[in-house]
Amino acid sequence: MITIKTPEEIKIIAESGKILADAIREIEKMAKPGITTRELDRTAEAFILSKGAKPAFKGYEGFPYALCVSVNENIVHGFPSGYVLKDGDLLKLDLGVLYKGFNTDMAITVAVGNVSFEARRLMNVTKKSLRLGIKKAKIGNTIGDIGNTVQRFVEDQGFDVIRDLCGHGIGKSVHEDPKIPNFGKRGGGEKLVEGMVICIEPMVSAGDYNLKKSGDGYGYATADNSLSAHFEHTIAITSRGPRILTE
Ligand code: MG
């Protein structure tokens, strides 16, 4: 069931999203060679708590941390750990905030030190595919319009979208209906209506889109160990067009 949010609720979700975006910027700055991913998790959690909010992922479906950390071939849902970031790592940070009863969800990919040309290109293509997808998130368009736009751009650049993981609605729960795949047919799927709040999150592989479980047994990695990138924003569908709530 898709829940429609009131303008008052969207205002609260934007406050939640502001805390989240600020938390992400904070840990992005720290993501340098020599730091452990556990330190990033601790900083993210402390930052969120200091704002009177809660880390939305901690305890969600058994996930024990605030921050999802996935490096190189790992795509999403990885555990923070004693792993020390090294020059050339492609780091994915995915974080959620619960504030005044409403969740927001955001992810970025960070180049740690100097990454390869291909890693940089993968990152830029994924980031741009999110921007293009967001542009389609307007009243009268469909979920298929978002997925189709993301997929066509990514595939034109020679990369693949992950098929088995997707974006989602968000609100009082982290994951709500509808699902927002990163592929699809133009005009296909549910119509977007005013008051929907959705997470668009392209996950892109430099190789094949098939997945396997990560080494920690919780996250997902590309089956062929190729590099992956991930960007995500929480968006409201408004009469004035898509509104990014995690900025
Ligand atoms: Mg998400």
Side-chain angles (χ1 to χ4, degrees), residues 130-167:
L130 172 59
R131 270 211 312 278
L132 295 173
I134 290 171
K135 278 193 185 163
K136 297 288 173 180
K138 52 187 190 188
I139 298 168
N141 277 356
T142 67
I143 288 168
D145 291 324
I146 298 173
N148 179 267
T149 297
V150 170
Q151 178 184 17
R152 277 190 302 129
F153 178 70
V154 166
E155 292 180 355
D156 280 352
Q157 304 296 318
F159 298 133
D160 251 345
V161 293
I162 303 297
R163 307 291 180 101
D164 293 340
L165 300 166
C166 60

Side-chain angles (χ1 to χ4, degrees), residues 216-231:
D216 63 24
Y218 200 98
Y220 291 96
T222 52
D224 61 3
N225 289 325
S226 51
L227 282 177
S228 66
H230 179 208
F231 283 90

